[in-house]
Amino acid sequence: MASPRMKMEQSFDFGEPSAQDAVGSASESPGAVFGISPPESSPRGGRNKRRDRPSWVKLTYTPYFDGHLWRKYGQKKIKDAEYPRLYFRCSYREDRQCLASKLLQQKNGEDPPLYEVTYTYEHTCGAPPVPFPDIVAEPQAGREGLVLRFDSPGGHGDAQMQQQGHYQSTPRNPFMMLSFGSSRQTHDQQPAFRSDLEAGSPSFPTELLPAPAPVPAINGDTDMFSTLESFAHDFDNHMHFSDNTHLPYNNISDDGYY
DNA sequence: CAGATTTGACCTCA
DNA sequence: TGAGGTCAAATCTG
């Protein structure tokens, strides 16, 4: 489709000083503005194609639950990679000049599959964290695989979910249930989180979010930051596995970073 | 109808 | 020059 492309001098430029300033140097300031912070010593050095961009990698089974709203903007088959790479960026990118983006690469076809998530830039959008549900993984009755059930932790998230009107009853809602189907997910390329990738919904249901909050003072948001940071780090703590359900965590280091 | 996703083409970098 | 990253029109979905 021969479309007149706008090329790189669009409104948004990675070389823009203000943007760089807003992000700061991730390697110097592990205290992220917002969201998952780079574990300070995992810049992917020479591996990073856009080398001037701060990035860090995380291994996770739940790549969509990192407390932010993401919009998918691309997908590409990577040479020598079994699964396609998915490209996401912050939903508030235009609104707030948030540079954060992430790159999702499925690592294996296990049940559940393991993903390598490469985050680039920190969030400068100051968007409120997506309320973290209490997650219970349990075997599906009569089927192989796992079901992740998202109970409410009580409090704000609870109210917001109930606002939905499908509380704990709508399998299509990624917040309610994720199905780890080992039973032949015909498209091998599709991650098991089909509610996200196939149902055409954002990584997180936008309707669950409160109205966008004003961008917080960057220096004064330690509360929010610690909340979100623990959000990410505490994922394992929120995740309960009912009897005889265990996941192969062995090749993930401490916080999932490496 | 608005907003999100898909997908092929284009751009940049190593 | 090929691989990876991004764009944006077309398409889909609620």
Side-chain angles (χ1 to χ4, degrees):
Chain A
M1 43 205 84
S3 58
R5 324 204 97 251
M6 294 190 61
K7 309 184 63 175
M8 283 318 190
E9 57 273 4
Q10 289 184 74
S11 54
F12 181 23
D13 185 330
F14 279 117
E16 190 132 288
S18 58
Q20 296 277 15
D21 283 351
V23 168
S25 159
S27 54
E28 288 175 24
S29 57
V33 171
F34 188 74
I36 298 173
S37 61
E40 93 182 282
S41 63
S42 50
R44 303 194 81 198
R47 297 291 301 274
N48 199 349
K49 193 155 174 76
R50 266 60 173 173
R51 305 174 62 169
D52 50 334
R53 305 182 193 181
S55 69
W56 59 101
V57 177
K58 183 179 182 177
L59 285 177
T60 179
Y61 293 99
T62 56
Y64 305 105
F65 290 92
D66 59 10
H68 289 284
L69 276 175
W70 300 97
R71 168 185 283 190
K72 184 179 179 181
Y73 67 87
Q75 173 173 335
K76 192 169 189 85
K77 175 80 177 115
I78 299 301
K79 185 173 179 289
D80 295 332
E82 189 176 356
Y83 304 95
R85 182 170 293 177
L86 309 182
Y87 300 90
F88 296 87
R89 64 176 155 233
C90 180
S91 293
Y92 301 106
R93 181 182 185 239
E94 268 108 42
D95 287 358
R96 305 181 191 178
Q97 278 70 51
C98 181
L99 295 177
S101 65
K102 77 176 178 183
L103 205 145
L104 212 65
Q105 177 74 63
Q106 185 174 341
K107 302 295 287 183
N108 60 33
E110 308 275 313
D111 183 22
L114 179 63
Y115 296 86
E116 178 181 290
V117 186
T118 302
Y119 294 93
T120 304
Y121 287 125
E122 299 174 33
H123 283 271
T124 56
C125 55
V130 174
F132 205 106
D134 202 18
I135 301 169
V136 179
E138 51 187 28
Q140 302 177 71
R143 291 187 54 187
E144 296 178 48
L146 294 175
V147 168
L148 286 189
R149 205 181 66 231
F150 294 81
D151 293 331
S152 158
H156 309 311
D158 194 356
Q160 285 161 11
M161 289 209 207
Q162 288 182 336
Q163 220 178 339
Q164 271 279 298
H166 314 296
Y167 189 60
Q168 257 205 31
S169 62
T170 312
R172 291 180 60 86
N173 186 330
F175 251 114
M176 299 302 110
M177 183 181 297
L178 296 179
S179 176
F180 292 118
S182 62
S183 28
R184 268 304 68 116
Q185 181 106 40
T186 36
H187 317 307
D188 283 346
Q189 293 188 334
Q190 296 290 5
F193 302 98
R194 53 178 294 282
S195 56
D196 183 30
L197 293 180
E198 291 184 4
S201 56
S203 300
F204 295 96
T206 45
E207 61 268 27
L208 291 178
L209 287 178
V215 179
I218 291 190
N219 291 333
D221 66 346
T222 49
D223 279 349
M224 185 184 302
F225 168 63
S226 58
T227 299
L228 233 205
E229 188 179 42
S230 56
F231 171 99
H233 290 273
D234 286 353
F235 186 85
D236 294 345
N237 297 335
H238 285 264
M239 200 148 172
H240 317 339
F241 294 100
S242 43
D243 28 341
N244 57 29
T245 303
H246 18 294
L247 297 177
Y249 270 100
N250 30 337
N251 49 2
I252 304 179
S253 64
D254 285 356
D255 292 334
Y257 297 107
Y258 70 99

PDB file of all heavy atoms in Angstrom, chain A residues 130-147:
ATOM      1  N   VAL A 130      -2.801  -0.262  37.179  1.00  0.00           N
ATOM      2  CA  VAL A 130      -3.963  -1.106  37.032  1.00  0.00           C
ATOM      3  C   VAL A 130      -4.123  -1.901  38.312  1.00  0.00           C
ATOM      4  O   VAL A 130      -3.169  -2.495  38.785  1.00  0.00           O
ATOM      5  CB  VAL A 130      -3.772  -2.067  35.847  1.00  0.00           C
ATOM      6  CG1 VAL A 130      -4.901  -3.060  35.771  1.00  0.00           C
ATOM      7  CG2 VAL A 130      -3.672  -1.271  34.568  1.00  0.00           C
ATOM      8  N   PRO A 131      -5.284  -1.877  38.893  1.00  0.00           N
ATOM      9  CA  PRO A 131      -5.492  -2.582  40.150  1.00  0.00           C
ATOM     10  C   PRO A 131      -5.105  -4.027  40.011  1.00  0.00           C
ATOM     11  O   PRO A 131      -5.457  -4.679  39.030  1.00  0.00           O
ATOM     12  CB  PRO A 131      -6.986  -2.421  40.421  1.00  0.00           C
ATOM     13  CG  PRO A 131      -7.578  -1.938  39.148  1.00  0.00           C
ATOM     14  CD  PRO A 131      -6.496  -1.246  38.402  1.00  0.00           C
ATOM     15  N   PHE A 132      -4.426  -4.501  40.989  1.00  0.00           N
ATOM     16  CA  PHE A 132      -3.930  -5.862  40.911  1.00  0.00           C
ATOM     17  C   PHE A 132      -4.913  -6.850  41.502  1.00  0.00           C
ATOM     18  O   PHE A 132      -5.282  -6.779  42.649  1.00  0.00           O
ATOM     19  CB  PHE A 132      -2.611  -5.957  41.670  1.00  0.00           C
ATOM     20  CG  PHE A 132      -1.785  -7.074  41.157  1.00  0.00           C
ATOM     21  CD1 PHE A 132      -0.672  -6.815  40.380  1.00  0.00           C
ATOM     22  CD2 PHE A 132      -2.125  -8.396  41.420  1.00  0.00           C
ATOM     23  CE1 PHE A 132       0.101  -7.849  39.903  1.00  0.00           C
ATOM     24  CE2 PHE A 132      -1.357  -9.430  40.938  1.00  0.00           C
ATOM     25  CZ  PHE A 132      -0.239  -9.156  40.177  1.00  0.00           C
ATOM     26  N   PRO A 133      -5.350  -7.771  40.727  1.00  0.00           N
ATOM     27  CA  PRO A 133      -6.276  -8.766  41.226  1.00  0.00           C
ATOM     28  C   PRO A 133      -5.550  -9.844  41.992  1.00  0.00           C
ATOM     29  O   PRO A 133      -4.361 -10.057  41.796  1.00  0.00           O
ATOM     30  CB  PRO A 133      -6.872  -9.332  39.945  1.00  0.00           C
ATOM     31  CG  PRO A 133      -5.773  -9.201  38.933  1.00  0.00           C
ATOM     32  CD  PRO A 133      -5.016  -7.953  39.319  1.00  0.00           C
ATOM     33  N   ASP A 134      -6.259 -10.486  42.849  1.00  0.00           N
ATOM     34  CA  ASP A 134      -5.702 -11.635  43.516  1.00  0.00           C
ATOM     35  C   ASP A 134      -5.874 -12.798  42.560  1.00  0.00           C
ATOM     36  O   ASP A 134      -6.962 -13.081  42.089  1.00  0.00           O
ATOM     37  CB  ASP A 134      -6.475 -11.899  44.805  1.00  0.00           C
ATOM     38  CG  ASP A 134      -5.633 -12.707  45.774  1.00  0.00           C
ATOM     39  OD1 ASP A 134      -4.398 -12.754  45.599  1.00  0.00           O
ATOM     40  OD2 ASP A 134      -6.218 -13.289  46.692  1.00  0.00           O
ATOM     41  N   ILE A 135      -4.803 -13.463  42.278  1.00  0.00           N
ATOM     42  CA  ILE A 135      -4.851 -14.450  41.221  1.00  0.00           C
ATOM     43  C   ILE A 135      -4.734 -15.862  41.771  1.00  0.00           C
ATOM     44  O   ILE A 135      -3.864 -16.160  42.568  1.00  0.00           O
ATOM     45  CB  ILE A 135      -3.719 -14.187  40.223  1.00  0.00           C
ATOM     46  CG1 ILE A 135      -3.872 -12.789  39.655  1.00  0.00           C
ATOM     47  CG2 ILE A 135      -3.734 -15.209  39.120  1.00  0.00           C
ATOM     48  CD1 ILE A 135      -2.684 -12.321  38.869  1.00  0.00           C
ATOM     49  N   VAL A 136      -5.598 -16.687  41.336  1.00  0.00           N
ATOM     50  CA  VAL A 136      -5.544 -18.078  41.744  1.00  0.00           C
ATOM     51  C   VAL A 136      -5.433 -18.936  40.498  1.00  0.00           C
ATOM     52  O   VAL A 136      -6.249 -18.830  39.586  1.00  0.00           O
ATOM     53  CB  VAL A 136      -6.814 -18.477  42.507  1.00  0.00           C
ATOM     54  CG1 VAL A 136      -6.742 -19.938  42.911  1.00  0.00           C
ATOM     55  CG2 VAL A 136      -6.969 -17.594  43.721  1.00  0.00           C
ATOM     56  N   ALA A 137      -4.422 -19.741  40.459  1.00  0.00           N
ATOM     57  CA  ALA A 137      -4.271 -20.642  39.327  1.00  0.00           C
ATOM     58  C   ALA A 137      -4.786 -22.002  39.734  1.00  0.00           C
ATOM     59  O   ALA A 137      -4.420 -22.527  40.773  1.00  0.00           O
ATOM     60  CB  ALA A 137      -2.800 -20.721  38.927  1.00  0.00           C
ATOM     61  N   GLU A 138      -5.640 -22.534  38.954  1.00  0.00           N
ATOM     62  CA  GLU A 138      -6.160 -23.845  39.293  1.00  0.00           C
ATOM     63  C   GLU A 138      -6.406 -24.635  38.018  1.00  0.00           C
ATOM     64  O   GLU A 138      -6.634 -24.079  36.952  1.00  0.00           O
ATOM     65  CB  GLU A 138      -7.439 -23.713  40.099  1.00  0.00           C
ATOM     66  CG  GLU A 138      -8.469 -22.801  39.448  1.00  0.00           C
ATOM     67  CD  GLU A 138      -9.651 -22.574  40.382  1.00  0.00           C
ATOM     68  OE1 GLU A 138      -9.453 -22.648  41.613  1.00  0.00           O
ATOM     69  OE2 GLU A 138     -10.747 -22.347  39.879  1.00  0.00           O
ATOM     70  N   PRO A 139      -6.332 -25.935  38.156  1.00  0.00           N
ATOM     71  CA  PRO A 139      -6.544 -26.781  36.987  1.00  0.00           C
ATOM     72  C   PRO A 139      -7.973 -26.646  36.503  1.00  0.00           C
ATOM     73  O   PRO A 139      -8.902 -26.453  37.283  1.00  0.00           O
ATOM     74  CB  PRO A 139      -6.295 -28.193  37.516  1.00  0.00           C
ATOM     75  CG  PRO A 139      -5.695 -28.040  38.856  1.00  0.00           C
ATOM     76  CD  PRO A 139      -6.088 -26.698  39.373  1.00  0.00           C
ATOM     77  N   GLN A 140      -8.142 -26.746  35.229  1.00  0.00           N
ATOM     78  CA  GLN A 140      -9.476 -26.688  34.678  1.00  0.00           C
ATOM     79  C   GLN A 140     -10.144 -28.034  34.877  1.00  0.00           C
ATOM     80  O   GLN A 140      -9.545 -29.065  34.644  1.00  0.00           O
ATOM     81  CB  GLN A 140      -9.436 -26.378  33.190  1.00  0.00           C
ATOM     82  CG  GLN A 140      -8.733 -25.088  32.877  1.00  0.00           C
ATOM     83  CD  GLN A 140      -8.664 -24.860  31.377  1.00  0.00           C
ATOM     84  OE1 GLN A 140      -9.660 -24.583  30.732  1.00  0.00           O
ATOM     85  NE2 GLN A 140      -7.486 -24.991  30.813  1.00  0.00           N
ATOM     86  N   ALA A 141     -11.358 -27.986  35.257  1.00  0.00           N
ATOM     87  CA  ALA A 141     -12.079 -29.224  35.478  1.00  0.00           C
ATOM     88  C   ALA A 141     -12.225 -29.971  34.155  1.00  0.00           C
ATOM     89  O   ALA A 141     -12.776 -29.465  33.201  1.00  0.00           O
ATOM     90  CB  ALA A 141     -13.453 -28.924  36.067  1.00  0.00           C
ATOM     91  N   GLY A 142     -11.728 -31.170  34.166  1.00  0.00           N
ATOM     92  CA  GLY A 142     -11.913 -32.005  32.988  1.00  0.00           C
ATOM     93  C   GLY A 142     -11.068 -31.619  31.793  1.00  0.00           C
ATOM     94  O   GLY A 142     -11.217 -32.143  30.715  1.00  0.00           O
ATOM     95  N   ARG A 143     -10.161 -30.686  32.011  1.00  0.00           N
ATOM     96  CA  ARG A 143      -9.318 -30.305  30.886  1.00  0.00           C
ATOM     97  C   ARG A 143      -7.886 -30.212  31.325  1.00  0.00           C
ATOM     98  O   ARG A 143      -7.573 -30.150  32.504  1.00  0.00           O
ATOM     99  CB  ARG A 143      -9.751 -28.935  30.353  1.00  0.00           C
ATOM    100  CG  ARG A 143     -11.098 -28.961  29.686  1.00  0.00           C
ATOM    101  CD  ARG A 143     -11.348 -27.619  29.050  1.00  0.00           C
ATOM    102  NE  ARG A 143     -10.235 -27.260  28.163  1.00  0.00           N
ATOM    103  CZ  ARG A 143     -10.133 -26.078  27.590  1.00  0.00           C
ATOM    104  NH1 ARG A 143     -11.012 -25.157  27.788  1.00  0.00           N
ATOM    105  NH2 ARG A 143      -9.109 -25.811  26.804  1.00  0.00           N
ATOM    106  N   GLU A 144      -7.022 -30.164  30.361  1.00  0.00           N
ATOM    107  CA  GLU A 144      -5.642 -29.919  30.686  1.00  0.00           C
ATOM    108  C   GLU A 144      -5.453 -28.430  30.861  1.00  0.00           C
ATOM    109  O   GLU A 144      -6.270 -27.630  30.432  1.00  0.00           O
ATOM    110  CB  GLU A 144      -4.753 -30.390  29.539  1.00  0.00           C
ATOM    111  CG  GLU A 144      -4.816 -31.870  29.321  1.00  0.00           C
ATOM    112  CD  GLU A 144      -3.951 -32.238  28.126  1.00  0.00           C
ATOM    113  OE1 GLU A 144      -2.790 -31.766  28.091  1.00  0.00           O
ATOM    114  OE2 GLU A 144      -4.426 -32.946  27.256  1.00  0.00           O
ATOM    115  N   GLY A 145      -4.354 -28.082  31.473  1.00  0.00           N
ATOM    116  CA  GLY A 145      -4.035 -26.677  31.554  1.00  0.00           C
ATOM    117  C   GLY A 145      -4.514 -26.029  32.838  1.00  0.00           C
ATOM    118  O   GLY A 145      -5.029 -26.685  33.734  1.00  0.00           O
ATOM    119  N   LEU A 146      -4.299 -24.737  32.883  1.00  0.00           N
ATOM    120  CA  LEU A 146      -4.617 -23.983  34.081  1.00  0.00           C
ATOM    121  C   LEU A 146      -5.631 -22.907  33.780  1.00  0.00           C
ATOM    122  O   LEU A 146      -5.713 -22.390  32.679  1.00  0.00           O
ATOM    123  CB  LEU A 146      -3.351 -23.286  34.608  1.00  0.00           C
ATOM    124  CG  LEU A 146      -2.231 -24.164  35.117  1.00  0.00           C
ATOM    125  CD1 LEU A 146      -1.048 -23.281  35.462  1.00  0.00           C
ATOM    126  CD2 LEU A 146      -2.692 -24.931  36.320  1.00  0.00           C
ATOM    127  N   VAL A 147      -6.342 -22.558  34.815  1.00  0.00           N
ATOM    128  CA  VAL A 147      -7.184 -21.367  34.723  1.00  0.00           C
ATOM    129  C   VAL A 147      -6.688 -20.400  35.775  1.00  0.00           C
ATOM    130  O   VAL A 147      -6.486 -20.765  36.916  1.00  0.00           O
ATOM    131  CB  VAL A 147      -8.663 -21.701  34.995  1.00  0.00           C
ATOM    132  CG1 VAL A 147      -9.451 -20.429  35.192  1.00  0.00           C
ATOM    133  CG2 VAL A 147      -9.232 -22.489  33.837  1.00  0.00           C
TER     134      VAL A 147
END
